[in-house]
Amino acid sequence: MFKSILAAIACATITIGAAQAGTVENSFGNTIVSRAPDGAVTRWQYSPNGSYTMTSADGQTTRGAWAYVNGELCLTPEGGAQTCHGDGGDYHVGDTWTLTGPDGQSTTITIEAGQ
């Protein structure tokens, strides 16, 4: 489940290219919230310095680094392996959308104002 949430959020936070503002940049100072089909909520906060914090539904916090590599968003959790994902769109505070993860499960994503 965590991997599908990670994949869904990573896809949600991509821009087409580093030169174009996109969901990651639009979320600075705000929170990307994912709601899994089972109701579990995960919160993501991205910083302009290339770091992120993810708080899972059970309260566990994961920190890591994000970067664009060849037009894809790559996430590297502390002590973990880097994963990269393709374009997911250009979303802003207040937007809500649905993504389907690799396991076929749909996750609802929203960018909420504030952290």
Side-chain angles (χ1 to χ4, degrees):
M1 177 66 159
F2 175 75
K3 287 183 181 182
S4 65
I5 290 172
L6 179 63
I9 297 299
C11 287
T13 55
I14 304 300
T15 63
I16 294 172
Q20 175 184 351
T23 303
V24 169
E25 291 84 358
N26 295 338
S27 75
F28 292 162
N30 299 298
T31 303
I32 296 177
V33 179
S34 70
R35 289 176 179 79
D38 66 0
V41 174
T42 304
R43 299 180 175 281
W44 298 74
Q45 288 142 350
Y46 290 87
S47 297
N49 69 0
S51 67
Y52 73 86
T53 301
M54 185 275 300
T55 305
S56 64
D58 64 5
Q60 295 244 347
T61 299
T62 300
R63 298 183 192 292
W66 67 270
Y68 293 111
V69 178
N70 298 321
E72 293 187 313
L73 176 71
C74 296
L75 302 177
T76 308
E78 289 178 351
Q82 182 181 73
T83 58
C84 299
H85 303 278
D87 180 40
D90 181 18
Y91 299 99
H92 302 269
V93 172
D95 288 346
T96 297
W97 64 101
T98 302
L99 294 175
T100 302
D103 61 0
Q105 297 288 321
S106 293
T107 301
T108 302
I109 313 295
T110 302
I111 302 179
E112 294 181 353
Q115 294 187 342

